[in-house]
Amino acid sequence: MTQGFIIHNRSMMRFIGLLGLFTLLVTLGSEAMGTGVISTSLVKTLGKTLCLCLIAIAMDVVWGYCGILSLGHFAFFGIGGYAIGMWLMYARTETIVTESLARQVIPPTPAEVTDAIGAQIFGVVGSSDFPVIWSFADSLILQLLMVVLVPGLLALVFGWLAFRSRVTGVYLSILTQAMTLALSLYLFQNDSGLRGNNGLSGLQNIPGFESTPQATISLVFFWGSALALGLGYMLFAFVVGGKMGSIVQGIRDNEARVRFLGYRVEGYKLFVFTLTAVVSGIAGALYYPQAGIINPAEIAPIASIYLAVWVAIGGRGRLYGAVIGAALVSLLSSWFTGGGAPDVNLGFYTVQWTDWWLVLLGVSFVCVTLFAPKGIGGLFDYLIRKPR
């Protein structure tokens, strides 16, 4: 059954093939391979873009296929980043502290080492004690489990409370946005246990690989991001491609009719909401070691709104459309806000794209909504299926 699904799903096979070719070209052109055609910073940007494409696919499944406009999925993305960032920061600080205390005449006790690590990490917020949420920060395996479990449990509890109350439409969107805002405001506090506004930094320094060049580490993370995107695409293509996909899309089009036919609508919505939250957490865990830092601003509601804009521009209800939208907007954002786009001198006014990029993005979103509601993916469908 699975083999037949893979063979007959041509769009998925094309996407996997293009992703594999893209990964190969970037690998051959990277500095880690000695060619240097593609800089290390660009490899990092491309790796982060692949992670954003993965969460965009998750957003497309929950919104484009199931009809749930979630304005909180970037919170799950950030939670995954914080979970892996805690281990990265703890392990790196432990190495630095251990090397420093090893120079003392009297060897330090484990308690002294722990206190020194706590002072190094939390000294910026005036504390030296480890919060309870850092209980497993010394274990990579447990923190990797947290990457999956925390977003999944949060989505499961929130979704169960919302869906069993039959909250739908704009009210559900407001609730997801409120959840994200509450989480963001909590993380901004110094006593949240995650260093408040300072966030977690230095995540690009992988413990145990201090002597490994950043070019190599960036390429490995790029491979991991590409693999996660490919597997995520296949997973969601399987979910939305069979009988379950038809039921999910039926819920999007007419929830009352699907419920009348005897299907447990709340169960399907909860499954989709939780699964996409877990995948979003995995995407965040791959993204932030490449970004090097994470702070509460990454979880602000505006980030989830941007995510919805990416999916709308790429085309809702098309997995590859979400990838197109996320990749296009992400790369253009890096180009415009990074100073790559030249300023436009109009004589009476100079357009600086670092200031006008969000305006351009908003105008693009409005134009797509009015003139191309199916997004860029819909244009591709039209060109492919256009009668000769």
Side-chain angles (χ1 to χ4, degrees):
M1 177 179 177
T2 304
Q3 184 179 2
F5 167 77
I6 295 176
I7 294 175
H8 291 92
N9 198 323
R10 296 181 180 179
S11 63
M12 185 186 71
M13 297 304 297
R14 293 193 194 102
F15 177 82
I16 297 300
L18 290 175
L19 179 62
L21 178 61
F22 174 72
T23 304
L24 178 62
L25 293 176
V26 172
T27 301
L28 295 177
S30 65
E31 293 182 1
M33 291 298 171
T35 57
V37 177
I38 302 177
S39 64
T40 299
S41 61
L42 182 56
V43 172
K44 286 186 176 182
T45 299
L46 294 176
K48 291 186 293 184
T49 301
L50 294 179
C51 296
L52 295 177
C53 290
L54 179 56
I55 186 178
I57 293 177
M59 179 66 180
D60 186 36
V61 172
V62 76
W63 181 31
Y65 283 90
C66 196
I68 304 172
L69 177 54
S70 171
L71 298 180
H73 262 55
F74 227 90
F76 306 127
F77 186 82
I79 290 173
Y82 267 109
I84 194 62
M86 291 164 66
W87 175 81
L88 289 170
M89 198 163 189
Y90 182 94
R92 180 174 59 87
T93 306
E94 183 182 27
T95 302
I96 296 173
V97 169
T98 302
E99 292 176 353
S100 177
L101 295 179
R103 303 186 184 98
Q104 296 182 358
V105 179
I106 301 177
T109 64
E112 290 177 337
V113 174
T114 302
D115 292 341
I117 295 173
Q120 188 77 13
I121 294 177
F122 301 105
V124 69
V125 293
S127 177
S128 60
D129 299 328
F130 276 98
V132 177
I133 59 176
W134 285 73
S135 300
F136 308 113
D138 59 336
S139 173
L140 174 59
I141 295 177
L142 292 179
Q143 286 302 125
L144 289 176
L145 287 176
M146 294 299 107
V147 169
V148 175
L149 292 179
V150 177
L153 288 175
L154 179 60
L156 183 65
V157 173
F158 177 87
W160 183 77
L161 292 174
F163 299 145
R164 71 185 294 269
S165 302
R166 297 192 179 181
V167 180
T168 58
V170 66
Y171 302 104
L172 182 59
S173 300
I174 293 174
L175 281 179
T176 57
Q177 191 174 40
M179 175 196 70
T180 306
L181 180 60
L183 179 61
S184 177
L185 293 177
Y186 172 73
L187 293 177
F188 268 113
Q189 301 177 13
N190 289 337
D191 58 356
S192 64
L194 293 171
R195 293 170 30 114
N197 188 42
N198 300 281
L200 307 181
S201 58
L203 306 184
Q204 74 279 6
N205 302 313
I206 309 301
F209 295 89
E210 289 81 6
S211 59
T212 305
Q214 276 296 315
T216 303
I217 294 176
S218 301
L219 185 60
V220 171
F221 269 102
F222 174 80
W223 290 341
S225 303
L227 178 62
L229 177 59
L231 293 176
Y233 194 100
M234 293 176 64
L235 170 64
F236 287 128
F238 181 78
V239 169
V240 303
K243 177 182 177 181
M244 181 178 178
S246 300
I247 298 173
V248 168
Q249 294 178 63
I251 294 173
R252 175 198 62 191
D253 297 335
N254 195 322
E255 180 176 329
R257 180 172 294 181
V258 175
R259 181 178 285 108
F260 179 77
L261 292 174
Y263 293 102
R264 299 191 61 176
V265 171
E266 290 75 17
Y268 285 97
K269 294 170 71 173
L270 186 59
F271 172 77
V272 171
F273 192 76
T274 304
L275 178 63
T276 54
V278 169
V279 173
S280 299
I282 295 173
L286 286 168
Y287 178 90
Y288 287 105
Q290 299 178 80
I293 186 173
I294 178 174
N295 57 55
E298 302 287 335
I299 306 180
I302 188 65
S304 295
I305 295 176
Y306 288 155
L307 179 60
V309 172
W310 299 347
V311 174
I313 291 177
R316 285 192 301 145
R318 297 167 178 80
L319 297 181
Y320 62 88
V323 174
I324 294 172
L328 178 64
V329 177
S330 175
L331 293 176
L332 286 178
S333 176
S334 299
W335 187 58
F336 279 109
T337 60
D343 297 336
V344 179
N345 189 357
L346 302 177
F348 61 92
Y349 181 78
T350 300
V351 178
Q352 297 180 341
W353 291 113
T354 53
D355 300 327
W356 282 86
W357 159 244
L358 291 180
V359 176
L360 179 61
L361 179 61
V363 172
S364 301
F365 175 68
V366 172
C367 290
V368 167
T369 303
L370 293 178
F371 304 109
K374 295 183 179 180
I376 299 175
L379 296 178
F380 284 169
D381 288 347
Y382 173 75
L383 293 176
I384 293 174
R385 301 173 183 175
K386 181 180 178 181
R388 296 182 180 179

